[in-house]
Amino acid sequence: MITAGLIGAGRWGRVLAKSFSRKCTIKTVTSLGNPGNIEKLKKILPSVKEGNLKDILEDPTINAVIIAAPIKNLSNIAIQCLDSNKHVFLEKPAGQNKKEILEIIKAKKDKVCLVDYLFLEDPSYKAFKNAISSLKITEFSTSWKKWGSFNNDILLNLVTHELAMLFDLFGKSLSVKDFNIFEDSCRIKLAAKQTKISVIIDRRSSTSKKLVTCISNESSYHWSPGLFSFWDKESNEDSPIFEKDVDLVDIQRDRFIHHVLEDDGFSNLEIACNIINIIDEMTQE
């Protein structure tokens, strides 16, 4: 049985707490945010102990730490946990820049450090990835409309999800061609060999929709969380290929627990580093 510490009791920290508490013991929580967050968390975990980071780091019974802290604090906390011989479940983007992520990689040694790029674990996304892997893709686009996440940098908080998918699909051939970044929206043009790629995000939209479109000479495929579909030219509508509504947090939780129990030193920090390189390229110009 894994015994964990939780750092961060905000909205997302409580989502993670609810999921992880079904499969492991969350012994101690610390939060520097709204004092009311701890009281909300205790409705989920009545027996959890409130402490500080030092309590978690120095507790030999805690072998894993779930980090849902603000982006500016992620890397520093992760490094301290890894240095204290704890496995780490780390919210994306892991760090604010390449230097921070390289420091996490250095501290990781043989411990598990899983960065939470949630959408990559969607079974429908994996079916989509498999279906397009052999296609000669000419155009690829992602569009994400939502309302919220206003207190975070749009690149570090939202674009990182899209870049994680693009690196997963296209590898290191990904390059930025043009971009327009605003406080609550962005348009980014990229390329991967012969594929033209666009990323559009609007976090002040009255509608909520995440849609990925992949176009080749032969076909057009779409993916939204939970649904992979094929555009049928004859009927002029989407035909579902794979549809499954799952809890992605639970899937990612089980993935982390598996690696911890195997003690295999798993890390996906390389993709986090690739993502930050792209973001640095856009922000440093």
Side-chain angles (χ1 to χ4, degrees):
M1 185 74 165
I2 292 173
T3 300
L6 173 65
I7 299 174
R11 184 192 68 82
W12 191 247
R14 296 193 297 274
V15 169
L16 294 176
K18 186 175 182 180
S19 176
F20 272 86
S21 64
R22 300 188 192 108
K23 292 287 185 76
C24 63
T25 300
I26 300 179
K27 181 177 180 180
T28 306
V29 61
T30 181
S31 176
L32 296 177
N34 185 336
N37 287 340
I38 293 290
E39 295 308 311
K40 292 177 182 178
L41 180 73
K42 286 185 175 180
K43 293 180 181 179
I44 301 169
L45 304 173
S47 61
V48 73
K49 175 185 175 183
E50 183 180 357
N52 54 41
L53 178 58
K54 185 178 179 182
D55 294 329
I56 292 174
L57 297 178
E58 294 182 353
D59 188 337
T61 68
I62 292 177
N63 55 358
V65 183
I66 305 155
I67 303 175
I71 291 173
K72 65 181 180 179
N73 299 330
L74 289 174
S75 65
N76 179 50
I77 295 171
I79 290 166
Q80 291 186 66
C81 292
L82 292 165
D83 282 342
S84 299
N85 208 36
K86 315 291 187 187
H87 300 288
V88 167
F89 182 94
L90 181 59
E91 270 311 310
K92 52 81 191 164
Q96 300 175 97
N97 51 55
K98 185 177 180 179
K99 180 177 180 292
E100 290 186 356
I101 293 179
L102 289 176
E103 288 174 349
I104 299 173
I105 292 172
K106 183 179 178 180
K108 192 193 83 68
K109 298 183 177 70
D110 62 345
K111 309 312 290 182
V112 173
C113 184
L114 189 152
V115 184
D116 187 20
Y117 290 110
L118 205 59
F119 293 115
L120 300 188
E121 298 309 305
D122 186 338
S124 64
Y125 165 76
K126 292 185 176 183
F128 168 75
K129 177 183 176 180
N130 182 63
I132 69 172
S133 62
S134 59
L135 298 179
K136 185 177 181 180
I137 302 168
T138 56
E139 296 181 41
F140 191 95
S141 65
T142 78
S143 173
W144 193 0
K145 296 180 179 180
K146 66 183 301 252
W147 178 269
S149 307
F150 302 126
N151 296 324
N152 292 294
D153 181 282
I154 193 169
L155 294 176
L156 293 172
N157 190 51
L158 298 180
V159 174
T160 48
H161 279 299
E162 312 304 271
L163 291 176
M165 176 173 54
L166 293 176
F167 275 112
D168 186 51
L169 294 173
F170 297 103
K172 292 185 179 180
S173 64
L174 196 66
S175 62
V176 176
K177 297 301 179 183
D178 192 21
F179 56 89
N180 291 287
I181 310 296
F182 305 100
E183 184 177 358
D184 293 318
S185 65
C186 65
R187 291 175 177 266
I188 306 169
K189 293 182 179 180
L190 308 100
K193 296 180 180 179
Q194 303 303 312
T195 305
K196 295 180 180 179
I197 301 169
S198 69
V199 172
I200 300 173
I201 294 179
D202 177 6
R203 64 179 175 190
R204 284 192 177 273
S205 173
S206 58
T207 60
S208 179
K209 179 70 173 179
K210 185 177 181 67
L211 177 66
V212 173
T213 301
C214 174
I215 300 173
S216 73
N217 292 330
E218 302 84 21
S219 54
S220 176
Y221 292 102
H222 292 159
W223 172 74
S224 293
L227 176 62
F228 162 40
S229 60
F230 169 75
W231 183 259
D232 190 323
K233 293 181 180 179
E234 292 185 4
S235 64
N236 199 34
E237 61 183 25
D238 264 343
S239 298
I241 295 175
F242 186 99
E243 187 171 6
K244 190 171 186 179
D245 186 17
V246 297
D247 190 321
L248 298 182
V249 175
D250 285 353
I251 291 177
Q252 194 77 298
R253 171 206 66 200
D254 290 346
R255 184 184 180 208
F256 176 71
I257 290 174
H258 167 78
H259 288 300
V260 171
L261 294 177
E262 290 293 316
D263 197 20
D264 58 10
F266 171 84
S267 164
N268 59 350
L269 286 164
E270 181 180 359
I271 194 169
C273 198
N274 291 336
I275 290 166
I276 290 296
N277 283 341
I278 291 284
I279 290 175
D280 283 350
E281 182 179 341
M282 291 187 285
T283 57
Q284 291 175 8
E285 290 193 3

